[in-house]
Amino acid sequence: MRESGIFGILAASGAFSILVTAAIIGVLFGESYHFFSMPEVTLSDFFLDTHWSPLSEDKRFGIWALVSGTMVVTVVAMAVALPLGLVTAIYLSEYAPRRVRDILKPTLEVLAGIPTVVYGYFALRFITPKLQLLDSSIPIYNALSAGIAVGILCLPIVTSLTEDALRAVPRSLREGAYGLGGTRFDVSLKIVVPAALSGIISAFLLAIARAIGETMIVALAAGLRPQVVLDPRNEVQTMTGYMVQVIGGDVSNFGVEYYSLYAVAATLFVITFSLTVVGEVIRRRFREVYS
Amino acid sequence: MSNTIIHDPERRRAAARSTSGRRLLNKLFAGFSLAIALLSVLVLMVLLAAIVKSGAKHLDLSFLSSDPNTEPEKAGIRIALIGTVLVCGMCALFTLPLGVATAIFLDEYRPRNPFMRKLHSFVQLNISNLAGVPSVVYGILGLTAFVYMFGLFGKLDDPAFEIGVSHYYQFVNDEGLAVLVPIEGQQAERPELVDGMTAYLPSGKSVKLNLVPASGPWPDDKPTLRRTLSPKSKGGYLGKKSWYYLRLPLGRSVLAGALTLSLVVLPIQIIAAQEALRGVPSSLREGAYGLGATQWQAIRKVTLPSAVPGIMTGSIIAMSRAIGEAAPVMMISGAVLMSHAPGNLMADFTVMPLQIYEWTSRPNAEFHDVAATGIMVLLLVLLSFNAVAVVIRQKLRTPLS
């Protein structure tokens, strides 16, 4: 009797997590529906317009301005995190002697545990001035330094997930390749990496999702100007940066500004959720089974 | 391969070239990847050096005990520290039981029939996805669900339910002294002043109101003056809240922030607890079953105690994340300037990362240095937290089989 009672409690806990997902979807899309049913907003504007200015006099609601800002920062971040993370992971998994490992692993753990505000501070106060030394035309708020900081943030994630994927490749494959006369480089890049490819791609996708969802770094360093530009040296605003801007202002009137928050959050959620799900599916479905 | 004898000179030369070429490439790559790997160490050191260089000058005990101030010299992190302790403490209270219970459900009670199994893997997939949701989205969810509570319990300034609060209309008489008159609720209108009605002094003492005409004369002696008002006296709403003040909707409160943060770290806690439970060798469980234990008895007496170090480690990781999160808290509390520490669970609050953000986003560069000091405090807190975790992990580590 007691057993089933206990099971009921535990099952309720399991159900709670489903409730949370349902709540996220319900709240985001429900309030976004409210947003889209406001007179100033049309669906075609949202998806086709390239200007975003709900907080100013001339209200325009094109989401591309914010999405473009997010993408520029993310591309810079991935340009930093993916190559460096992959190489570091290969080194850790295939080359590293014990002593170097004992320095590297804790370092990466510390980097992963540093709160994002700290990276935002670092971007604003250290990276931006150094960039301005190289190119004096770079404004204080720019996507480049924010992107670099986001990249540093994502580096431990890429490294650890990629290293897991590389380590999952069985020793027998490696030893077969060594037996055929391969160097470590041959074995790593021609055998192990292709074998672990699904895990590596999954790691990359999760890192991209993390970069897209990053808030504090871009709020501090990227800027407040939503614009569709390709050059990361410009000031941009990301989806998350806009959300910070709205909540910092006066939202008690529950007007179109308040509801725009939900529409942007819904867009953000759809993008990151798709990336996470696709990453998970790739990891499970294309995982090479060796035993 | 270099030991194999190749007799054809053409092939021998080709083999020698390709081998030495590949060996060189290998050496180059080894050096290159080591350099890249050490780049992370370099970045960490540069990061910490930049912070210490800016922040060290303000770091002293008065920084920990002062409140945020308009002057950078005098600013301190006390309020944010208290806020962090309160919010993260409550967050742990919510997250730990719920996370461990879900982990037990997922790992120990594996269903047999195919429908439940599908449900089971759905819940598992769901948790992995929740771990990838950006924390701002949790902040938005918390805003709607905990702060405004979907509008089900009235508005923020007209709550549907309150305990632990006394509502007053605070009048100020011509001498600048305050007299409090009790009223119904926050939305009640200015009360009618009647001579002899019960009123309160700011100290809490109950007095009889002395009403004088609008033109005067005002009494001379202090005790009577303290309880005197005229019909023209002006005032405003004042709510006196005790430490157990509770209201629905929760509003921008410590409790709402704690609940939101627990949503953020719950997936991490669940996954970590699952890893801990999986680490318990099944021989222990099977021994318990063999001795006649039911499933729950086996969990409670055998599996769970063995998994405690791992669960604790997971808790520490989850709480470290919670301490450092600013975005969801910002959605809940708004980017406000706090002048006093939260006195009850419904009060406005701020946390350390949010305070650091606030300082960093000011145009005055002096405050950036104060932000660096705040970062040092935050990092020290996280460091000591994790050090405690490592120590506990070492102490509790007993061989399990």
Side-chain angles (χ1 to χ4, degrees), chain A residues 199-279:
Chain A
I200 295 178
I201 291 181
S202 163
F204 284 6
L205 289 178
L206 258 74
I208 294 176
R210 183 81 173 84
I212 289 178
E214 177 41 48
T215 308
M216 303 315 295
I217 302 180
V218 292
L220 282 171
L224 294 168
R225 281 188 60 194
Q227 48 177 348
V228 182
V229 287
L230 284 177
D231 184 352
R233 290 175 299 177
N234 287 299
E235 179 179 344
V236 296
Q237 188 175 46
T238 63
M239 292 187 273
T240 48
Y242 174 72
M243 288 164 72
V244 168
Q245 190 190 7
V246 170
I247 208 74
D250 179 23
V251 288
S252 51
N253 62 343
F254 290 100
V256 71
E257 300 85 7
Y258 174 75
Y259 286 104
S260 66
L261 193 61
Y262 290 95
V264 175
T267 317
L268 180 68
F269 176 73
V270 165
I271 297 177
T272 51
F273 197 72
S274 328
L275 281 171
T276 319
V277 167
V278 170

Side-chain angles (χ1 to χ4, degrees), chain A residues 53-286:
Chain A
S53 53
L55 299 176
S56 61
E57 293 289 314
D58 169 33
K59 293 184 188 305
R60 309 222 359 219
F61 297 97
I63 193 74
W64 288 115
L66 291 180
V67 173
S68 149
T70 305
M71 287 307 145
V72 171
V73 170
T74 304
V75 164
V76 172
M78 289 303 110
V80 167
L82 296 185
L84 296 185
L86 180 60
V87 171
T88 308
I90 294 176
Y91 180 76
L92 271 176
S93 150
E94 307 294 317
Y95 284 87
R98 181 74 187 275
R99 274 176 304 165
V100 179
R101 242 187 109 80
D102 285 346
I103 302 177
L104 265 184
K105 289 291 270 187
T107 303
L108 288 169
E109 277 187 31
V110 171
L111 275 178
I114 292 184
T116 54
V117 257
V118 179
Y119 283 114
Y121 170 89
F122 186 61
L124 190 63
R125 278 209 93 191
F126 187 83
I127 300 182
T128 302
K130 294 284 179 286
L131 286 178
Q132 285 175 324
L133 283 180
L134 292 174
D135 178 356
S136 54
S137 69
I138 294 183
I140 295 183
Y141 297 119
N142 60 81
L144 190 55
S145 57
I148 293 175
V150 177
I152 301 176
L153 177 73
C154 293
L155 182 63
I157 301 174
V158 176
T159 308
S160 81
L161 289 177
T162 308
E163 199 204 335
D164 286 346
L166 291 173
R167 284 183 161 256
V169 175
R171 288 188 66 84
S172 49
L173 257 76
R174 286 191 186 83
E175 297 188 353
Y178 283 131
L180 287 170
T183 60
R184 257 196 235 261
F185 178 72
D186 287 330
V187 172
S188 310
L189 259 63
K190 294 179 192 168
I191 306 287
V192 181
V193 167
L197 200 58
S198 68
I200 295 178
I201 291 181
S202 163
F204 284 6
L205 289 178
L206 258 74
I208 294 176
R210 183 81 173 84
I212 289 178
E214 177 41 48
T215 308
M216 303 315 295
I217 302 180
V218 292
L220 282 171
L224 294 168
R225 281 188 60 194
Q227 48 177 348
V228 182
V229 287
L230 284 177
D231 184 352
R233 290 175 299 177
N234 287 299
E235 179 179 344
V236 296
Q237 188 175 46
T238 63
M239 292 187 273
T240 48
Y242 174 72
M243 288 164 72
V244 168
Q245 190 190 7
V246 170
I247 208 74
D250 179 23
V251 288
S252 51
N253 62 343
F254 290 100
V256 71
E257 300 85 7
Y258 174 75
Y259 286 104
S260 66
L261 193 61
Y262 290 95
V264 175
T267 317
L268 180 68
F269 176 73
V270 165
I271 297 177
T272 51
F273 197 72
S274 328
L275 281 171
T276 319
V277 167
V278 170
E280 210 30 52
V281 164
I282 288 182
R283 198 171 68 83
R284 289 188 189 188
R285 194 169 292 195
F286 294 104

Side-chain angles (χ1 to χ4, degrees), chain B residues 61-353:
Chain B
L61 278 179
S62 71
F63 182 72
L64 289 176
S65 56
S66 320
D67 302 335
N69 202 313
T70 43
E71 277 179 66
E73 296 298 314
K74 299 197 196 145
I77 206 167
R78 186 185 72 104
I79 291 177
L81 190 55
I82 296 178
T84 301
V85 167
L86 277 176
V87 171
C88 295
M90 298 219 62
C91 173
L93 275 174
F94 296 129
T95 314
L96 192 57
L98 196 53
V100 173
T102 311
I104 294 177
F105 171 72
L106 281 174
D107 258 34
E108 300 289 320
Y109 285 85
R110 289 193 175 279
R112 255 171 287 238
N113 68 62
F115 169 70
M116 287 302 288
R117 218 185 263 182
K118 279 215 164 80
L119 197 64
H120 197 266
S121 65
F122 178 69
V123 175
Q124 184 75 65
L125 179 68
N126 189 38
I127 290 175
S128 312
N129 288 331
L130 281 180
V133 172
S135 50
V136 256
V137 176
Y138 283 114
I140 299 276
L141 175 64
L143 185 64
T144 314
F146 298 129
V147 173
Y148 293 123
M149 291 194 131
F150 303 105
L152 291 174
F153 292 101
K155 298 201 188 317
L156 283 196
D157 48 7
D158 185 17
F161 168 79
E162 285 182 303
I163 58 165
V165 63
S166 312
H167 304 284
Y168 299 102
Y169 205 91
Q170 178 174 280
F171 290 97
V172 179
N173 65 20
D174 283 7
E175 299 297 317
L177 299 167
V179 181
L180 276 57
V181 176
I183 53 175
E184 292 284 304
Q186 204 170 331
Q187 302 297 317
E189 293 169 355
R190 184 187 182 283
E192 280 292 312
L193 290 176
V194 176
D195 188 46
M197 75 191 301
T198 318
Y200 294 88
L201 300 180
S203 59
K205 182 162 167 229
S206 149
V207 293
K208 281 198 164 8
L209 182 66
N210 176 26
L211 194 65
V212 299
S215 45
W218 291 87
D220 286 323
D221 57 316
K222 200 73 189 303
T224 321
L225 197 56
R226 280 197 309 172
R227 54 184 182 89
T228 306
L229 288 176
S230 82
K232 279 194 330 179
S233 297
K234 292 206 174 62
Y237 170 76
L238 177 72
K240 277 200 173 193
K241 305 177 173 75
S242 48
W243 67 267
Y244 57 88
Y245 174 49
L246 190 68
R247 75 160 170 226
L248 290 176
L250 292 175
R252 297 181 180 275
S253 58
V254 172
L255 194 56
L259 289 168
T260 310
L261 266 185
S262 48
L263 288 183
V264 176
V265 299
L266 193 61
I268 306 174
Q269 171 79 76
I270 293 176
I271 294 175
Q274 278 187 290
E275 296 287 315
L277 286 171
R278 281 182 202 152
V280 176
S282 41
S283 52
L284 263 73
R285 277 191 208 92
E286 317 234 323
Y289 293 146
L291 288 170
T294 64
Q295 200 168 11
W296 174 243
Q297 280 174 334
I299 294 173
R300 193 159 73 90
K301 302 264 183 193
V302 176
T303 315
L304 209 48
S306 319
V308 159
I311 293 179
M312 284 210 57
T313 310
S315 257
I316 302 278
I317 297 175
M319 282 307 114
S320 302
R321 180 81 194 271
I323 292 176
E325 279 288 345
V329 177
M330 191 190 289
M331 295 292 137
I332 299 288
S333 77
V336 288
L337 283 150
M338 292 301 304
S339 55
H340 52 268
N344 55 66
L345 284 181
M346 296 292 123
D348 290 334
F349 68 106
T350 188
V351 293
M352 279 197 285

